[in-house]
Amino acid sequence: MTFKTLIASSATAIAMATAAFAMNPTVGGAPMLEEKNIIENAVNSPIHTTLVAAVQAADLVETLQGEGPFTVFAPVNDAFAALPAGTVDTLLKPENKAMLQKVLTAHVVAGDWSAQDIINAARSSRDGFYHFNAVSGDALSAKVVGSNVYIFDESGNAAKVTTADVNQSNGVIHVVNSVLVPK
């Protein structure tokens, strides 16, 4: 083996090792571990306590711990706080469980969609939007604006993806800054 070949193969090995050990993004300063599922990671995120409480109230914990894969657009606490006063409290009441399930499943898509997958789909569409359906059956659309990805609900409200590609054992989470509201 020549010195040049040795250097080239060493550089390749280092690059491969670095890629293999690349870390998932943290969320709210909390580590998100790829070997954990969506719920196991979400409960560790200090900026998703409202979402976790809502998932528990809606009896969706077991579903989101399932095999998947799922793509979840996960609104932060501030997104829930920005809803009209009393909305979250009303949704969390047991008698509104079906409505809460609909709102939450409007943030979940079947499959493991990376940000790059969403970007490619939006850029290859005729209108610049990738149109798809949430698990709830509600229509969602994705659009790339500059270097940002936005997810639109049926009413045209946009949620900006603030942290993309938080990989999970059963899918991927994209943190968003707004709640997607189904019709």
Side-chain angles (χ1 to χ4, degrees):
M1 183 178 277
T2 67
F3 181 72
K4 190 174 185 179
T5 305
L6 180 62
I7 296 296
S9 65
S10 295
T12 302
I14 290 169
M16 289 171 59
T18 302
F21 291 105
M23 296 290 292
N24 237 1
T26 61
V27 176
M32 299 287 116
L33 305 175
E34 288 187 52
E35 63 272 10
K36 292 191 175 190
N37 66 47
I38 290 166
I39 296 299
E40 291 170 330
N41 275 319
V43 298
N44 290 322
S45 170
I47 61 172
H48 286 99
T49 56
T50 305
L51 178 61
V52 169
V55 167
Q56 291 169 336
D59 286 332
L60 292 173
V61 170
E62 190 173 309
T63 301
L64 291 174
Q65 287 178 326
E67 187 175 316
F70 304 106
T71 298
V72 177
F73 300 104
V76 295
N77 293 340
D78 288 346
F80 285 101
L83 292 172
T87 301
V88 173
D89 291 335
T90 299
L91 285 171
L92 291 175
K93 290 182 179 178
E95 63 268 22
N96 295 324
K97 183 172 155 182
M99 185 185 319
L100 179 60
Q101 287 174 334
K102 176 130 172 97
V103 169
L104 293 175
T105 57
H107 293 80
V108 181
V109 177
D112 191 341
W113 285 83
S114 72
Q116 194 59 57
D117 293 337
I118 295 168
I119 290 167
N120 292 345
R123 287 188 174 152
S124 67
S125 69
R126 291 179 188 224
D127 64 357
F129 285 90
Y130 173 61
H131 303 283
F132 54 107
N133 286 322
V135 171
S136 65
D138 295 283
L140 298 175
S141 300
K143 183 169 182 68
V144 180
V145 179
S147 62
N148 297 307
V149 176
Y150 291 87
I151 308 299
F152 292 82
D153 62 24
E154 291 178 326
S155 299
N157 300 310
K160 179 181 175 183
V161 175
T162 58
T163 304
D165 298 330
V166 185
N167 294 310
Q168 317 288 301
S169 65
N170 63 343
V172 63
I173 291 175
H174 302 292
V175 177
V176 294
N177 69 349
S178 186
V179 175
L180 301 167
V181 181
K183 282 192 173 186

